[in-house]
Amino acid sequence: FYHMDLYGSKERFDIFPEEPSGRGDRSLGDTRRESAPSSEKVQRPQEVGYDLEKEVAELAKMYGLDEDREKELELLGGHLEKVESRWPPPHTEKAGLQGSIYNRSKSSSSVKDPSQSTKQQGLPDEAPQGENQSKARADDEAESSIWSRGGLSSGGMSDEWNSQAVLEEEEEEEEEEEEEEAADVFCSTCKIPIRAFDKLFGEHKDHEVAQLPSAVESEKEEIHKNMCKLEEQIAQMENVASHLEEIFITVEENFGRQEQNFEVHYNDAVQVLAQKYEEQLEALGEEKRQKLEALYEQLVSCGKHLDTCKELTDETQELFLENDKAEFMKVKSFNYIIFSPYNYRLEEFLKQEVNLELSTLPDFEERAIDVSEVEQLMNSINAIPAPCAPVINPQAPNAATGTSLRVCWGLFSDDTVECYQLCYQPVSNERHSDGQAEHTLKVKETYCTITDLLPNTQYEFWVSALNASGVSPPSERAVYVTAPSPPIIKNKKIQSCENAALVCWESRDINPVDSYTVELSKLTDEENDDIITESIVGIPNCEVLIHLQPTQKYHICVRAQNLGGSSERSEPVLIHTTGTCFYLNEDTAHPLLAILDDGFTISCDELENPECDLPVYDNSFTRCIAILGSLIPFPGKHYWEVEVEEDTEYRVGVAFENTPRHGHLGANNSSWCMRHIITPSRHKYEFLHSGMTPDIRITVPPRRIGILLDYENCRLSFFNADIAQHLHTFNSHFQHYVHPCFALETPGILRIHTGITTPPWTAL
């Protein structure tokens, strides 16, 4: 009942109180003395790490069992774990085993070298041989006395082995926990956590692995997907269950109606059969009466004829009895006398025809009840009336695409319907729409999706219900409209700056739409997929001004909206907010000015007759060979550059929308420009506004002119972009937004560069 760790150790004796004298004291002291070596001997292997296999090998070598060593080791290795798990055995067996080992050790010690015994007992080798032998002998005697006691000694050893087994189990559990804690990667092949060491050198060397956190996240995502699928299945099953409940209710209702209908038809059939029975029975009775009357009349006539025959027979007999011949010749008949021979009279009677055939037969006419009406009633038991007219629903939101419509209707009656007949045709604004094709579909459900329709087009629908009895009246007509076609963004008409963009588009549909929606997707280097970051809805026109963030890239798409829903997204356009972008307005170009394919290069080949007879637009320049860029409707700073040729005369700057088309740029108060003129002596540069220019000399002719328009500070600056040199600045209050303007006064080319970030050296 004491703790097992106290057995076989010195601490065990501390729980017993010392007795002053007597046998108990002596035995306790002997026990202490005898147990001390054993305790030390048992504890020593535990402290340094006990190896059972090593000890068995040493014992085999000691007793000369080297030749059987492999066999014993195989036996021991095969059952080592079993022996350790069952160690220690019961006290009696263990004591016997330990006693046997001890006796073999003792017997062998007398034969073997004492030094081996000394090493076996774990004593130091430096001790003298005699002392070692005596000490070994004393130890052997102490062990013999301890093993001979059996009870206490075996109990102490048992506790020691139990302690050791518990410690080994705890160490194994700790090692397993350490191994589990050390797992830092996940084997995707085996689906278990492993250590990184196992991936390099273990059985998972060729397996695919992943980091444990990422594997956990992937597993969570997979679980989330499966949960979503499970929720979808649950929703589907709930819908199916709800539909089954509706079908169940419908079956009950239909059964009730059919039962009632069957009962009504059954009663009608029984009533018809009863009526037929009465009619046939009455006819049969009439036939019986007629037969009996005819037979009675024939019977009466036959009786009368028999009476007459009997009278004639009696008279004849009387005549034969008469003796008087004269009397014999007189014939009496019915109280009158016929003066003729009697024979003549009898012949006349026999000449009368007597009908000996029956006036009627005893058989009755075969009569069959006419059940055709009953059959008709029986056949009409399952017949149902024609259904009522369905009710078509108005168009639901988002029930249309550019080429399809989803139409729904309902039947608010208990009529049985086999199918529905859906008819539709396009709505025509003309009075006579007979030419419109009418389409018909038969469907089982109360909804139908019609495809292959025209975008942004109105269609009218009506529906009828059908069953075995006929077709219902058509429903009221409902007008549905398809969604619009995707708009087309005008790439060449897009204007942008560092913080805004003006986007224009056009509709592909003939019919007008209700509104437009612009969708923005911000793009970064890490992600280039379209993620909607912002939507602008309710745009009534085909253009919109969008505020953006500087130095960003955007994908912009447009959708058209009408009552039918939203169109598909237009083809996206890419907008960079690195600088100002505009386009050249071809409507303002002089007839001699050409715009090349890139849309930003203008050229002029001849200037012999600027006022030529070529066709011009109402908004074109007629005298100055110039062109305006699109309006810059964004506040703030705007920068662009113009690449020029040194031998070309030109004008570049800005102008209002209403600048005169028959004059020159810079010659009026509605335009500001830089002019380059080639004189025989030098290149002359003028900065014109209202026909006036400051006296400025430019020593280095610019090949690339930078133009900075600053609405907020009311400045227009010109720079030599190649050398970052400031040329001139107009300080003017721009009452309206302006257009970039460009003109050629000699044949040449001007190349315009937009979308450029404003250089830092432009700050004055």
Side-chain angles (χ1 to χ4, degrees):
F1 58 92
Y2 297 107
H3 195 276
M4 62 176 64
D5 293 339
L6 298 178
Y7 284 96
S9 62
K10 295 180 179 181
E11 288 78 2
R12 179 176 65 84
F13 302 103
D14 295 338
I15 65 175
F16 296 101
E18 296 184 0
E19 297 181 3
S21 61
R23 184 177 180 180
D25 188 16
R26 180 176 57 79
S27 62
L28 182 59
D30 295 340
T31 305
R32 290 182 178 179
R33 288 191 299 270
E34 294 172 356
S35 301
S38 176
S39 176
E40 294 176 358
K41 185 175 182 180
V42 173
Q43 287 182 353
R44 190 179 299 113
Q46 185 176 355
E47 295 174 357
V48 300
Y50 182 75
D51 191 349
L52 181 61
E53 184 177 355
K54 182 177 180 182
E55 181 178 352
V56 172
E58 291 177 356
L59 290 175
K61 185 177 180 181
M62 181 183 298
Y63 298 130
L65 302 177
D66 295 337
E67 56 185 357
D68 298 330
R69 183 170 178 267
E70 294 181 0
K71 184 176 182 180
E72 290 179 359
L73 287 178
E74 289 178 359
L75 180 61
L76 181 62
H79 302 280
L80 182 58
E81 295 180 358
K82 185 182 296 185
V83 171
E84 289 181 352
S85 64
R86 295 184 300 175
W87 192 270
H91 294 297
T92 56
E93 297 178 1
K94 182 176 180 181
L97 177 61
Q98 292 175 344
S100 175
I101 295 173
Y102 175 76
N103 293 331
R104 293 177 62 184
S105 175
K106 184 175 180 180
S107 62
S108 63
S109 63
S110 60
V111 179
K112 298 291 180 178
D113 190 3
S115 60
Q116 295 179 358
S117 176
T118 302
K119 292 182 180 180
Q120 181 67 22
Q121 297 298 327
L123 298 178
D125 295 337
E126 294 80 7
Q129 185 175 2
E131 293 179 3
N132 291 340
Q133 291 177 357
S134 60
K135 192 168 184 179
R137 191 178 297 110
D139 292 339
D140 292 340
E141 292 175 358
E143 288 179 1
S144 176
S145 62
I146 291 173
W147 292 116
S148 63
R149 297 179 184 269
L152 181 61
S153 299
S154 62
M157 290 300 293
S158 175
D159 294 336
E160 292 295 334
W161 284 109
N162 285 334
S163 301
Q164 184 176 355
V166 170
L167 291 174
E168 290 178 356
E169 291 179 358
E170 292 178 353
E171 290 177 358
E172 291 178 358
E173 292 178 357
E174 290 178 357
E175 290 178 358
E176 292 178 357
E177 291 178 356
E178 289 178 358
E179 290 180 357
E180 293 179 356
E181 292 176 357
D184 52 358
V185 295
F186 182 78
C187 179
S188 303
T189 305
C190 300
K191 303 296 183 182
I192 57 172
I194 62 172
R195 298 178 301 173
F197 180 83
D198 296 334
K199 167 61 180 173
L200 297 176
F201 305 101
E203 60 180 354
H204 305 279
K205 182 177 181 180
D206 298 330
H207 293 179
E208 183 180 356
V209 298
Q211 294 295 327
L212 196 58
S214 61
V216 171
E217 293 297 327
S218 300
E219 191 68 20
K220 289 182 179 179
E221 291 179 359
E222 196 68 26
I223 292 174
H224 179 68
K225 292 179 181 178
N226 293 333
M227 289 298 295
C228 293
K229 293 180 181 178
L230 183 61
E231 291 177 357
E232 291 178 358
Q233 290 184 1
I234 291 173
Q236 292 177 358
M237 293 305 298
E238 288 179 351
N239 293 335
V240 171
S242 177
H243 183 64
L244 290 176
E245 290 178 358
E246 294 178 357
I247 296 298
F248 182 86
I249 296 173
T250 304
V251 169
E252 291 289 342
E253 294 176 352
N254 292 339
F255 172 76
R257 289 196 297 269
Q258 291 292 340
E259 184 181 16
Q260 184 179 3
N261 188 28
F262 180 79
E263 184 178 357
V264 171
H265 284 75
Y266 173 77
N267 293 333
D268 293 342
V270 170
Q271 185 176 359
V272 170
L273 284 175
Q275 183 178 358
K276 294 290 183 180
Y277 172 77
E278 294 293 336
E279 292 176 355
Q280 293 295 332
L281 187 61
E282 184 178 357
L284 187 62
E286 181 65 22
E287 184 180 1
K288 174 187 175 182
R289 184 184 64 79
Q290 293 176 358
K291 285 180 177 293
L292 292 177
E293 289 180 354
L295 290 172
Y296 179 75
E297 291 178 356
Q298 188 176 10
L299 183 61
V300 171
S301 176
C302 184
K304 290 180 179 180
H305 193 74
L306 288 174
D307 292 341
T308 303
C309 291
K310 187 177 181 180
E311 289 177 359
L312 290 174
T313 302
D314 293 341
E315 289 179 359
T316 303
Q317 290 178 357
E318 289 177 359
L319 288 177
F320 275 103
L321 296 176
E322 288 289 339
N323 294 324
D324 189 357
K325 294 181 179 180
E327 291 293 333
F328 179 77
M329 295 303 295
K330 293 181 180 179
V331 181
K332 293 182 179 180
S333 177
F334 302 100
N335 299 322
Y336 62 89
I337 299 174
I338 301 176
F339 293 98
S340 62
Y342 181 78
N343 189 25
Y344 175 77
R345 184 168 154 257
L346 185 60
E347 289 178 356
E348 290 295 327
F349 176 77
L350 292 176
K351 288 180 180 180
Q352 295 180 1
E353 294 182 0
V354 179
N355 188 8
L356 299 179
E357 296 180 359
L358 294 176
S359 61
T360 182
L361 297 176
D363 298 331
F364 284 85
E365 180 183 355
E366 291 291 338
R367 295 181 179 274
I369 298 178
D370 185 10
V371 295
S372 60
E373 186 176 356
V374 177
E375 289 179 355
Q376 185 178 359
L377 288 173
M378 295 300 293
N379 293 332
S380 65
I381 289 178
N382 293 326
I384 52 177
C388 299
V391 177
I392 195 165
N393 300 338
Q395 184 172 358
N398 300 322
T401 65
T403 58
S404 65
L405 284 170
R406 181 181 174 88
V407 184
C408 301
W409 60 88
L411 187 67
F412 299 96
S413 65
D414 295 334
D415 298 335
T416 301
V417 177
E418 295 181 359
C419 64
Y420 295 93
Q421 180 175 289
L422 179 65
C423 303
Y424 67 95
Q425 66 181 10
V427 176
S428 176
N429 295 327
E430 300 178 359
R431 293 183 179 180
H432 302 285
S433 59
D434 297 337
Q436 296 292 339
E438 181 178 317
H439 305 273
T440 302
L441 297 173
K442 286 189 177 182
V443 294
K444 293 287 186 180
E445 297 80 8
T446 57
Y447 60 89
C448 181
T449 300
I450 299 93
T451 57
D452 298 331
L453 302 178
L454 298 176
N456 198 28
T457 304
Q458 290 183 341
Y459 291 86
E460 57 180 0
F461 293 85
W462 63 97
V463 63
S464 301
L466 289 79
N467 61 14
S469 299
V471 183
S472 72
S475 65
E476 295 291 335
R477 299 199 175 195
V479 176
Y480 281 51
V481 59
T482 54
S485 301
I488 300 175
I489 298 179
K490 300 178 181 179
N491 293 331
K492 295 183 178 180
K493 301 294 183 179
I494 294 177
Q495 300 172 244
S496 63
C497 64
E498 293 183 353
N499 52 16
L502 181 64
V503 183
C504 302
W505 60 87
E506 62 182 1
S507 175
R508 296 192 298 179
D509 299 324
I510 300 176
N511 299 325
V513 301
D514 296 340
S515 63
Y516 296 93
T517 298
V518 175
E519 298 176 349
L520 286 76
S521 305
K522 184 188 292 185
L523 305 180
T524 61
D525 295 336
E526 290 77 13
E527 58 175 307
N528 291 322
D529 46 351
D530 295 343
I531 300 176
I532 304 300
T533 57
E534 184 180 356
S535 296
I536 304 173
V537 300
I539 303 172
N541 303 320
C542 291
E543 65 177 22
V544 64
L545 180 63
I546 310 171
H547 295 282
L548 305 174
Q549 297 178 0
T551 65
Q552 299 293 334
K553 293 186 295 183
Y554 292 89
H555 265 163
I556 295 181
C557 301
V558 182
R559 295 179 186 266
Q561 305 282 341
N562 66 3
L563 293 176
S566 174
S567 71
E568 299 293 330
R569 297 171 63 184
S570 66
E571 291 295 329
V573 295
L574 182 62
I575 293 180
H576 297 266
T577 57
T578 54
T580 300
C581 294
F582 56 84
Y583 62 91
L584 298 178
N585 191 350
E586 298 180 4
D587 295 341
T588 63
H590 189 276
L592 296 178
L593 198 65
I595 302 176
L596 302 187
D597 294 338
D598 61 357
F600 292 97
T601 302
I602 60 175
S603 65
C604 180
D605 296 333
E606 58 179 350
L607 296 176
E608 295 179 358
N609 186 14
E611 298 181 1
C612 59
D613 297 332
L614 294 175
V616 297
Y617 297 101
D618 295 338
N619 200 27
S620 301
F621 285 94
T622 57
R623 185 175 182 184
C624 179
I625 304 176
I627 188 174
L628 295 181
S630 59
L631 186 70
I632 301 179
F634 316 114
K637 296 181 179 181
H638 305 279
Y639 180 80
W640 64 94
E641 294 179 354
V642 182
E643 187 178 350
V644 299
E645 296 178 349
E646 189 175 354
D647 57 349
T648 302
E649 295 183 359
Y650 55 84
R651 300 187 188 212
V652 294
V654 298
F656 287 138
E657 173 68 29
N658 60 354
T659 188
R661 302 296 191 263
H662 58 276
H664 289 278
L665 296 176
N668 47 59
N669 60 358
S670 59
S671 59
W672 298 259
C673 70
M674 172 183 173
R675 182 186 182 191
H676 174 230
I677 307 173
I678 301 176
T679 63
S681 59
R682 63 186 178 91
H683 291 272
K684 184 178 180 181
Y685 293 92
E686 298 177 345
F687 296 91
L688 298 171
H689 177 62
S690 299
M692 301 179 63
T693 178
D695 186 11
I696 297 177
R697 282 183 176 268
I698 298 176
T699 57
V700 180
R703 299 294 302 273
R704 195 179 184 99
I705 302 172
I707 303 174
L708 177 64
L709 173 64
D710 190 348
Y711 279 123
E712 295 179 355
N713 296 317
C714 304
R715 290 185 298 188
L716 176 66
S717 301
F718 296 87
F719 301 89
N720 186 342
D722 293 330
I723 60 176
Q725 179 186 15
H726 174 253
L727 301 179
H728 180 68
T729 297
F730 288 103
N731 293 304
S732 178
H733 179 67
F734 300 104
Q735 298 178 353
H736 309 285
Y737 291 119
V738 297
H739 297 257
C741 58
F742 312 91
L744 287 170
E745 297 183 350
T746 60
I749 293 176
L750 295 180
R751 294 183 178 87
I752 301 147
H753 300 274
T754 63
I756 303 173
T757 304
T758 304
W761 41 262
T762 59
L764 299 178

